[in-house]
């Protein structure tokens, strides 16, 4: 028999699942069985168990009814065969994270300097305080003060400890948050099983050995199994074997189904034979050392050695979060190896890396110069000007001075490197991701939400995204009559009605059904493929029922099934007639395609009449095109009889089988546009984003829907193309895509109809590679079918449909739309732009602090031989305050106004000229105030000068005021930093961000505590109320100064430069643009050359930004509830399992039958397309 079905002997009911006692088969038996392939497996099953039924009997399960679902039975199966999850790798302990934070080079330098300072403060050589050591020893007469020399060293160590703990806590909470997020993704993954005779969906982690699972096109198998019944089943086993050819599965030849493999065609049922660590995937996972990081490192090295190479990547990714703090050299090597799957660096990541390199270099130079000047000044002054000899007993004192200078130098470096920047990125992205969940965006790759803010183009599917995906038949052509609404059953001839109802009931997936509404008065629930649901609904409207027909002809009795795929563009089912009169085949598919195979059509009397090509052309013109112009999808239903006397046909010769059909009817299916979509598309257009529709539908239908949505606007010069015309326009005579040709087409293209997944991939790649416009395009794509995978992976941001999408599409995507709604994409744009603005706000604030602090430390050190801001104070300002500021500025909620500006684009600098004006403007104010206070403050406040104080002298009021005023100015400038586009009202909607308000208040209170009670460790002395009021008053001046700066028009300030540009491809030297290398950011190449690896400040930025990379390849190890996490489903489901490089020619042309572009209308139609030659529509008309 062509259809693979196991016979079902009686007496194997659900009740068997509850029997006590052991199972008739052990885990080891099943493991051995699953290791066999093809003929060996068939022989083993036949010899040891009789047939698949024998395996089911020993597992105490029914092939028809499935398991009972009894908790006791399920528990027994868990105990005997294991659970369907791989134990997650333990998260790093807090102490391990502390140790990692301690690896920061700048912190290590500070620690060493502090320890030396501490040691020297306790070392008092005899005669060390002699006059011979010069002025250096003066001022240390007070024994108590001398003894207090250790306080600065201790305070630095204490500050370092605080910084390390804060960093470790951030890393720990970040890891926990990401794991929680991934758990949510896992919970979304369900699989269809039969229990108690009912078809239900359960989370993949709840699958048990013995479950009867239904598998269909687009599924990713979550466990090993043995086929019970299959229709035209083909599996992609490349994830396990490395073989790219699809493997046909059947009971007679190869019934073994393996976890982690993709169903590429057909459908069927299997009995689950191995789960978790006992499945083939789990065994590999165990061999590779699931929880052993040393093993994982070996995996990295072995990555390109055999067929499994690419597929093992997710194992590596389990430690992605772990490796985020590793050295950049290691990271670069890893990037190199994984090049096949590496997406181009995210826009923000690239810009931040480059900016960090620049800032790091500047900081390094400044700190080195500071140290050199201080040492030279000291040496020249002491040994030259004063002419003192170097005395042995004075050495410790001199060394103490050198250590002090070194600490000042390191402090300048600490201040120069924006430590808070990676934290701001992390907080902003994590905060956005959490909030985006509420907006139906489940973010899988963290950088996607930021990239979305730069999107310039959205290529959207039609079905389910722009439309409701609730399909209903509204028109029909039956018996030579075109009915504009569903006809009454009594006007249809009995034979026509019977053959049509049978055809629809039998030639649809049996998993597709219409259920009664959940709520009284609600709409019936559509389960399964929505196009098939509309046909079943049509049957119900004709007062007929499809279920009795399916009960009479169960799925097992179907003789042969040609499932839908993109080359057939139709689905056909063959039945063997019970009276022995041969076979009958039912077909359905895209109307133009199926009609081309029809030689007859049922007439008014329900009798077949000849159907010539001329009749077909007339029907297309008079029936199909008018339906399409109304925005309807058209499906043709047909049948064919094979008489017994002609003998059994050759079922593998599809060309002959799917021909000579008799057309029963053509129906027009309406899928109404979502009412909120036109408004959402209008918002996109205002935001400078072009929306393009890419659909498998008829061009007239697509054009009608695009007009309703507002994608096509009257008076606009646009293109509507079919896949066929599109390919003719962009390919040369050799059939190769030419970028020049593509550049002439895509800017005006708004609708691509009858497109294949390959067309979608070509369009996305072409737009992304194009240089025809000023800015490089950032492309977002939606997809739901298995073959949308390449386009989803290629795009800057891939959106998969959470409801209609297949597992493969979801795994290739960056964001999952949990409601399949286009408006959620618009919300993602808003959040993405908000992330970008949040980072810019923080940068504006951070760089002002950095510029001022570095200049003050550098100038102060050079003029007064001491930094006005001490090391501990610098650590407070730079690290603690930046941490708090990043929290405050990175959690600003988005506003609709974000959608009123154009996208920033790839090459827009992070720091605009307006921001540069703000940074420099506020720096001028702050430096003027600080230097005035530094050199004339003692006169203004009538206090003692703090300049030129000797070693270990007590804190002065003078320098305390300088420090306090500095912090107050930063505090009020933080409010200014809330606006980066020159807005005047910096307080606007400040109440909407309670985090910001509490951070500002909290920082203010902490500053009071530090100044009033910080004492020697913070080099502070308590201030009077008058002094405090002056400090606050000067701080408030920042707000007034901000208004003054805003009043200066930016365009007048021609001298201002921008900073933080993206890397242009042309900026990269040719010798570094090797093939496969072009997607590594140039800034990363600078790192690779090792120019700036010395200082850890940059390394810290690199590694913390790698949070993004960690997310990109995370294996989603669970944290809160390990039992339900880390299923094998995710092990192979990782996006990196689709190892398609951009240039790969053999992108399988196949669409998803469970997604709703199934409509059997996915591919370009040969020769005479619906629109005739009109598919290329450059007219200003949008009507049909």
């Amino acid at each position: 028999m062509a259809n693979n079905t196991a016979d079902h002997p009686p007496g194997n009911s659900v009740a068997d699942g509850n029997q006590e006692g052991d199972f008739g088969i052990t885990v080891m038996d099943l493991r051995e069985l699953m290791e066999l392939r093809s003929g060996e497996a068939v022989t083993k099953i036949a010899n040891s168990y009789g047939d698949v039924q024998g395996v089911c009997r020993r597992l105490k399960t029914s092939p028809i009814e499935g398991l009972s679902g009894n908790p006791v039975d399920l528990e027994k199966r868990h105990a005997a065969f294991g659970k369907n999850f791989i134990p997650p790798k333990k998260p790093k302990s807090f102490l391990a994270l502390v140790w990692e934070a301690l690896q920061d080079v700048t912190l290590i330098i500070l620690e060493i300097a502090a320890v030396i300072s501490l040691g020297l403060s306790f070392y008092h050589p005899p005669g060390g305080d002699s006059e011979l050591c010069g002025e250096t020893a003066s001022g240390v007469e007070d024994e108590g003060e001398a003894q207090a020399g250790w306080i600065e060293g201790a305070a630095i160590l204490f500050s370092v400890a605080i910084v390390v703990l804060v960093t470790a806590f951030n890393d720990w909470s970040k890891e926990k948050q990401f794991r929680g997020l991934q758990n949510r993704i896992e919970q979304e993954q369900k699989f269809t099983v039969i229990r108690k005779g009912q078809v239900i969906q359960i989370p993949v982690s709840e699958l048990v050995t013995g479950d009867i699972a239904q598998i269909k096109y687009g599924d990713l198998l979550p466990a090993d199994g043995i086929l019970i019944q299959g229709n035209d089943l083909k599996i992609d086993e490349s994830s396990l074997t490395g073989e790219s050819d699809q493997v046909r599965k059947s009971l007679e030849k190869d019934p073994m189904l393996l976890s982690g493999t993709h169903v590429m065609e057909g459908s069927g049922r299997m009995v689950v034979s191995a789960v978790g660590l006992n499945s083939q995937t789990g065994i590999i996972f165990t061999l590779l050392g699931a929880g052993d990081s040393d093993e994982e490192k070996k995996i990295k090295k072995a990555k390109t050695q055999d067929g499994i190479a690419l597929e093992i990547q997710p194992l590596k990714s389990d430690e992605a979060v772990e490796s985020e703090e590793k050295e950049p050299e290691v990271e670069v090597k890893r990037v190199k190896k994984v090049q096949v799957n590496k997406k181009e660096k995210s826009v923000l990541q690239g810009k931040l890396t480059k900016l960090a390199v620049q800032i790091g270099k500047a900081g390094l130079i400044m700190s080195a110069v500071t140290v050199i000047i201080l040492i030279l000044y000291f040496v020249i002054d002491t040994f030259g000007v004063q002419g003192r000899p170097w005395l042995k007993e004075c050495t410790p004192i001199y060394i103490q001075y050198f250590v002090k200078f070194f600490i000042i130098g390191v402090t300048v470096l600490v201040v120069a490197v924006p430590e808070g920047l990676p934290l701001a990125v992390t907080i902003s992205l994590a905060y956005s991701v959490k909030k985006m969940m509420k907006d139906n965006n489940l973010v899988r790759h963290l950088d996607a939400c930021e990239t979305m803010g730069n999107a310039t183009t959205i290529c959207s599917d039609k079905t389910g995204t722009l439309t409701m995906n609730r399909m209903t038949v509204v028109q029909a052509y039956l018996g030579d009559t075109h009915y504009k609404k569903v006809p009454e059953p009594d006007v249809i001839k009995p034979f026509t009605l019977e053959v049509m109802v049978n055809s629809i009931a039998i030639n649809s997936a049996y998993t597709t059904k219409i259920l009664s509404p959940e709520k009284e008065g609600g709409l019936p629930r559509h389960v399964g493929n929505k196009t098939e649901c509309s046909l079943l609904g049509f049957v119900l409207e004709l007062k007929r029922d499809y279920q009795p027909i399916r009960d009479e002809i169960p799925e097992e009795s179907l003789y042969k099934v040609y499932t839908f795929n993109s080359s057939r563009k139709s689905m056909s089912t063959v039945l063997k007639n019970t009276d022995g009169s041969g076979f009958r085949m039912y077909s359905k598919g895209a109307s133009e395609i199926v009609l081309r195979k029809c030689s007859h059509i049922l007439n008014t009397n329900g009798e077949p009449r000849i159907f010539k090509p001329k009749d077909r052309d007339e029907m297309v013109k008079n029936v199909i095109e008018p339906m399409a112009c109304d925005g309807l999808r058209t499906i043709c239903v047909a049948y064919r009889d094979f008489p017994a006397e002609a003998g059994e046909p050759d079922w593998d010769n599809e060309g002959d089988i799917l021909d000579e059909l008799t057309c029963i009817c053509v129906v027009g299916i309406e899928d109404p546009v979502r009412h909120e979509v036109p408004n959402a598309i209008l918002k996109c257009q205002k935001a400078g984003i072009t929306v393009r529709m890419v659909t498998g539908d008829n061009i007239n239908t697509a054009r009608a829907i695009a007009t309703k949505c507002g994608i096509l606007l009257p008076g606009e010069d646009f293109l509507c193309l079919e896949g066929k015309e599109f390919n003719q326009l962009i390919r040369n005579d050799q059939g190769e895509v030419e970028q020049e040709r593509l550049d002439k087409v895509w800017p005006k293209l708004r609708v691509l109809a009858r497109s294949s997944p390959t067309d979608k991939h070509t369009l996305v790649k072409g737009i992304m590679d194009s240089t025809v416009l000023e800015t490089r395009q950032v492309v977002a794509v939606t997809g739901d079918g298995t073959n949308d995978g390449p386009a989803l992976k290629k795009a800057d941001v891939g959106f998969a449909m959470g409801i209609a999408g297949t597992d493969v599409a979801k795994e290739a995507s960056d964001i999952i739309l949990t409601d399949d709604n286009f408006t959620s994409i618009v919300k993602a744009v808003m959040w993405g732009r908000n992330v970008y603005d949040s980072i810019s706000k923080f940068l504006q604030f951070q760089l002002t602090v950095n510029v001022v602090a570095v200049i003050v430390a550098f100038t102060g050190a050079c003029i007064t031989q001491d930094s006005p801001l001490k090391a501990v104070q610098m650590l407070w300002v730079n690290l603690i305050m930046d941490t708090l500021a990043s929290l405050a500025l990175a959690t600003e909620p988005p506003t609709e106004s974000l959608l009123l500006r154009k996208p920033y684009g790839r090459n827009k600098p992070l720091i605009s000229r307006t921001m540069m004006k703000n940074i420099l403007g506020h720096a001028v104010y702050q430096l003027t105030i600080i230097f005035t206070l530094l050199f004339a403050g003692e006169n203004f406040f009538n206090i003692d000068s703090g300049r030129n104080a000797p070693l270990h002298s007590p804190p002065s009021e003078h320098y305390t005021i300088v420090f306090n005023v500095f912090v107050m100015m930063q505090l009020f400038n933080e409010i200014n930093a809330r606006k980066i586009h020159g807005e005047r009202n910096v307080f606007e909607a400040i109440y909407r961000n309670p985090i910001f308000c509490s951070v500002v208040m909290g920082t203010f209170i902490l500053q009071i505590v530090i100044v009033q009670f910080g004492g020697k460790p913070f080099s502070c002395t308590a201030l009077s109320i008058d002094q405090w009021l002056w400090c606050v008053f000067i701080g408030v001046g920042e707000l007034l100064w901000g208004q003054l700066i805003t009043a200066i028009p930016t365009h007048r300030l021609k001298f201002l430069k921008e900073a933080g540009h993206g890397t242009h491809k042309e900026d990269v030297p040719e010798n570094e643009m090797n093939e496969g290398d072009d997607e590594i950011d140039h800034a990363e190449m600078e790192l690779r050359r090792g120019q700036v690896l010395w200082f850890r400040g940059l390394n810290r930025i690199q590694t913390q930004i790698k949070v993004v990379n960690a997310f990109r390849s995370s294996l989603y190890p669970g944290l809160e509830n390990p039992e339900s996490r880390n299923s094998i489903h995710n092990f192979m489901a990782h996006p990196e399992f689709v190892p398609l490089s951009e240039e790969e020619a053999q992108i399988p042309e196949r669409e998803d039958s469970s997604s709703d572009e199934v409509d059997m209308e996915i591919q370009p139609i040969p020769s005479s397309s619906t629109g005739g030659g009109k598919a290329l529509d450059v007219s200003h008309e949008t009507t049909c």
Side-chain angles (χ1 to χ4, degrees), residues 441 452 780-783 792 797-801 813-815 817 824-825 828:
N441 283 286
M452 202 53 215
V781 169
T782 69
L792 288 169
V797 182
F799 286 90
M801 301 297 130
S813 71
D814 300 296
I815 298 177
L817 295 179
S824 301
I825 300 175

Side-chain angles (χ1 to χ4, degrees), residues 710-886:
I711 292 173
L712 300 182
L713 300 170
E716 197 185 53
D717 188 13
F718 62 80
L719 281 175
C720 287
L721 292 178
E722 284 192 336
K724 190 181 171 191
E725 276 86 0
F726 175 67
N727 279 296
Q728 284 169 355
L729 288 171
I730 65 167
R731 293 180 189 273
N732 59 20
D733 299 338
Q734 283 78 45
E736 297 160 345
V737 176
E738 284 187 1
Q739 188 65 42
E740 277 180 40
R741 290 174 177 235
L742 192 54
D743 285 345
K744 290 174 186 170
V745 175
W746 76 257
K748 288 185 179 180
L749 184 69
R750 292 294 176 274
V751 175
L752 184 58
R754 283 273 179 257
S755 66
S756 67
T758 319
D759 296 337
K760 197 177 200 174
H761 183 265
T762 305
L763 176 65
V764 170
K765 186 176 185 306
I767 295 177
M768 287 173 70
D769 292 348
S770 177
T771 52
V772 73
L773 298 184
E774 285 176 28
T775 54
R776 191 277 216 191
Q777 297 286 295
V778 178
V779 184
V781 169
T782 69
D784 52 11
T786 299
N787 276 4
D788 288 330
L792 288 169
K793 277 184 78 68
K794 176 63 191 167
D796 291 290
V797 182
F799 286 90
M801 301 297 130
I803 301 166
T806 59
D807 294 335
V808 180
K810 287 177 188 174
E811 295 308 332
S813 71
D814 300 296
I815 298 177
I816 296 171
L817 295 179
T818 53
D819 62 346
D820 288 15
N821 194 335
F822 186 82
T823 48
S824 301
I825 300 175
V826 181
K827 285 175 183 165
V829 171
M830 204 159 77
W831 276 108
R833 291 186 174 190
N834 192 55
V835 167
Y836 215 88
D837 278 9
S838 294
I839 303 305
S840 295
K841 287 171 190 176
F842 179 72
L843 264 177
Q844 181 174 301
F845 173 72
Q846 167 88 59
L847 293 180
T848 310
V849 180
N850 284 14
V851 167
V852 175
V854 168
I855 292 174
V856 167
F858 176 72
T859 316
C862 295
I863 296 172
T864 68
Q865 285 75 61
D866 190 7
S867 171
L869 298 173
K870 301 293 182 284
V872 178
Q873 293 173 351
M874 288 281 208
L875 284 172
W876 155 242
V877 168
N878 188 59
L879 297 173
I880 315 298
M881 210 164 137
D882 284 358
T883 300
L884 294 171
S886 63

Side-chain angles (χ1 to χ4, degrees), residues 46 52 108 135 202 280 306 357 489 506 629 737 745 748 831 1157:
V52 181
I108 290 171
E135 294 170 30
I202 60 169
Q280 291 304 293
D306 63 349
V357 172
I506 293 163
C629 284
V737 176
V745 175
K748 288 185 179 180
W831 276 108
E1157 295 296 2

Side-chain angles (χ1 to χ4, degrees), residues 192-351:
T192 310
V193 297
I194 300 171
R195 287 190 181 171
K196 276 192 191 164
Q198 296 292 312
V199 177
I200 58 166
Q201 285 206 321
I202 60 169
V204 290
S205 54
E206 291 177 19
L207 274 177
V208 294
T209 303
D211 256 325
I212 305 299
Q214 287 198 339
I215 54 176
K216 63 182 186 308
Y217 169 71
D219 280 347
L220 182 79
L221 300 184
D224 290 355
I226 304 169
L227 191 67
I228 298 174
Q229 176 264 326
N231 301 320
D232 205 20
L233 199 60
K234 286 185 188 168
I235 306 283
D236 174 8
E237 293 187 347
S238 60
S239 56
L240 278 178
T241 63
E243 296 295 326
S244 56
D245 293 343
Q246 291 171 20
V247 182
R248 187 182 287 276
K249 296 289 179 180
S250 64
L251 275 166
E252 298 83 24
K253 295 194 176 150
D254 186 359
M256 313 311 273
L257 301 169
L258 308 173
S259 56
T261 58
H262 294 130
V263 181
M264 299 309 284
E265 211 171 295
S267 61
R269 283 205 319 275
M270 71 171 189
V271 57
V272 175
S273 58
V275 294
L277 291 170
N278 295 312
S279 66
Q280 291 304 293
T281 304
I283 291 166
I284 291 175
F285 198 91
T286 314
L287 288 174
L288 294 169
D292 186 353
S293 57
D294 291 336
E295 286 291 331
E296 286 169 355
K297 284 171 194 160
K298 288 175 194 167
I299 293 164
K300 283 191 195 173
K301 288 175 188 165
K303 208 166 260 168
T304 49
Q305 287 172 9
D306 63 349
I308 296 177
L310 281 166
E311 287 28 271
I312 293 171
Q313 282 176 159
L315 299 182
K316 167 219 79 188
S317 67
D318 192 17
E319 59 162 344
V321 178
E322 318 272 328
S323 66
E324 71 179 82
E325 299 286 350
K326 298 279 192 298
E327 290 297 310
E329 300 100 315
V330 179
E331 176 65 9
V332 171
K333 285 175 196 161
R334 189 174 69 100
V335 167
K336 194 85 175 155
K337 284 187 182 176
V338 190
Q339 198 64 50
V340 182
N341 294 317
K342 186 182 187 296
K343 264 197 185 180
E344 197 166 319
K345 203 171 205 181
S346 90
V347 187
L348 188 62
Q349 232 183 313
K351 290 177 183 177

Side-chain angles (χ1 to χ4, degrees), residues 923-960:
V924 166
Y925 174 82
Q926 293 184 15
L927 288 169
T928 307
I929 295 286
I930 294 286
F931 285 131
T932 305
L933 287 175
L934 191 57
F935 297 110
E938 68 271 27
N939 302 327
F940 182 78
F941 285 104
N942 195 21
I943 50 176
D944 294 332
S945 170
R947 294 190 302 280
N948 300 318
L951 206 62
H952 303 320
S953 56
S956 64
E957 275 184 302
H958 184 192
Y959 273 22
T960 303

Side-chain angles (χ1 to χ4, degrees), residues 455-471:
T456 54
T457 289
I458 299 173
C459 295
S460 174
D461 274 345
K462 176 177 73 68
T463 307
T465 314
L466 301 172
T467 60
M468 287 183 180
N469 205 13
R470 184 167 185 92
M471 305 201 190

